[in-house]
């Protein structure tokens, strides 16, 4: 009887989570993408909430982690435009950490079958070697550090690995920090009309992104060398 109750509760949680994810993707993703595509418009929208503006921005960051369809880089750049490099980074860290906690523990609580309902089985299988890796922490760090890899998907998959939560979140934040600072700096530079610095950092970011994008298969094959026998 107790097992049946647990199964029913898990089913209810899955239905509610999937319904929320679907609604957020359909209703909010286009709006967020449009707003963050115009930093000035995004700033006006965020500031319209007055004293709640910071919480609203953090909410955007939570959504972009939990709902992988929302482009995180645009949100982070827009955050730098609104709050500056330092506070834009701080609020981005707060948002993505909360979002990562939700995704990580959801995956750990409900398991691989549920993650397959959220993330394509192909993507899950691609990163499944993390779960059995001899050096899971090192592999996870590199995957989050390398530009061009689907980091939001990685959070769900990492939730299926044996890594301890506190160690995972520390690795997650340290690996994501350079990208968060860079994105916030770009947004802040644009707001200050320091376009030269914005272009330089953006160009470096794009270069790293394309290196990661085109070299990801080679990188993945190398990392699989750490897979357990």
């Amino acid at each position: 009887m107790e097992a049946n109750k647990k199964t029913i509760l898990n089913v209810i949680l899955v239905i509610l989570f999937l319904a929320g994810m679907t609604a957020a993707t359909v209703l909010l993703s286009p709006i967020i993408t449009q707003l963050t595509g115009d930093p000035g418009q995004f700033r006006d929208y965020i500031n319209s909430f007055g004293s709640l503006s910071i919480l609203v921005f953090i909410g955007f960051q939570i959504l972009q982690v939990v709902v992988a369809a929302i482009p995180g880089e645009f949100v982070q750049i827009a955050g730098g435009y609104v709050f500056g490099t330092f506070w834009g980074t701080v609020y981005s860290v707060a948002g993505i950490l909360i979002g990562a906690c939700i995704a990580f523990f959801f995956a750990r609580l409900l398991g691989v079958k549920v993650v397959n309902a959220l993330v394509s089985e192909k993507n899950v299988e691609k990163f499944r070697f993390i779960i059995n890796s001899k050096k899971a922490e090192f592999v996870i760090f590199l995957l989050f550090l390398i530009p061009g890899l689907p980091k939001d998907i990685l959070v769900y998959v990492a939730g299926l690995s044996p890594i301890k939560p506190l160690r995972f979140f520390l690795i997650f934040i340290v690996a994501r920090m350079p990208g968060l600072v860079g994105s916030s700096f770009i947004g802040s530079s644009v707001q200050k009309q320091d376009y030269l610095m914005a272009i330089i950092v953006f160009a470096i970011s794009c270069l790293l992104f394309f290196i990661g994008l085109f070299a990801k298969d080679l990188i993945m094959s190398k990392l699989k060398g750490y897979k357990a026998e």
Side-chain angles (χ1 to χ4, degrees), residues 53-224:
S53 60
I54 295 172
L55 294 179
V56 172
F57 175 74
I58 291 175
F60 273 79
Q61 287 288 40
I62 294 171
L63 280 173
Q64 66 91 5
V65 175
V66 178
V67 183
I70 297 174
E73 287 77 10
F74 290 159
V75 178
Q76 292 150 22
I77 290 173
Y81 187 92
V82 177
F83 300 109
T85 302
F86 179 78
W87 289 112
T89 301
V90 169
Y91 301 146
S92 287
V93 167
I96 68 167
L97 186 56
I98 295 171
C101 286
I102 294 171
F104 181 90
F105 285 113
F106 184 85
R108 179 150 293 188
L109 176 66
L110 300 177
V112 65
K113 291 183 178 180
V114 176
V115 173
N116 281 336
L118 300 171
V119 181
S120 71
E121 188 172 354
K122 179 181 179 181
N123 278 323
V124 173
E125 288 299 324
K126 185 185 298 184
F127 299 106
R128 183 179 290 277
F129 69 89
I130 295 173
I131 299 172
N132 299 317
S133 173
K134 292 179 180 179
K135 299 183 179 180
E137 295 177 3
F138 174 70
V139 174
I140 289 171
F141 175 80
L142 287 182
L143 289 173
F144 278 113
L145 184 65
I146 297 167
L149 294 177
K151 294 176 175 56
D152 299 333
I153 292 174
L154 286 172
V155 177
Y156 284 102
V157 178
L160 303 174
S161 78
I163 189 171
K164 294 181 179 179
L166 288 179
R167 293 184 70 85
F168 167 75
F169 295 126
L170 178 60
I171 292 169
F172 173 78
I173 288 300
V174 171
R176 293 296 310 272
M177 189 61 70
L180 294 174
V181 173
S183 295
S184 296
F185 181 81
I186 291 171
S188 178
S189 297
V190 172
Q191 194 277 330
K192 295 175 181 177
Q193 298 184 354
D194 188 357
Y195 299 119
L196 177 60
M197 286 303 300
I199 290 171
I200 291 172
V201 176
F202 182 74
I204 294 172
S205 300
C206 287
L207 178 62
L208 293 174
F209 173 82
F210 283 113
I211 290 174
L213 183 65
F214 290 111
K216 65 181 179 182
D217 291 335
L218 176 61
I219 293 168
M220 293 287 289
S221 66
K222 293 292 184 183
L223 290 178
K224 285 181 180 180

Side-chain angles (χ1 to χ4, degrees), residues 28-39:
L28 298 179
S29 181
I31 297 173
I32 294 174
T33 301
Q34 179 183 358
L35 285 173
T36 54
D38 182 345

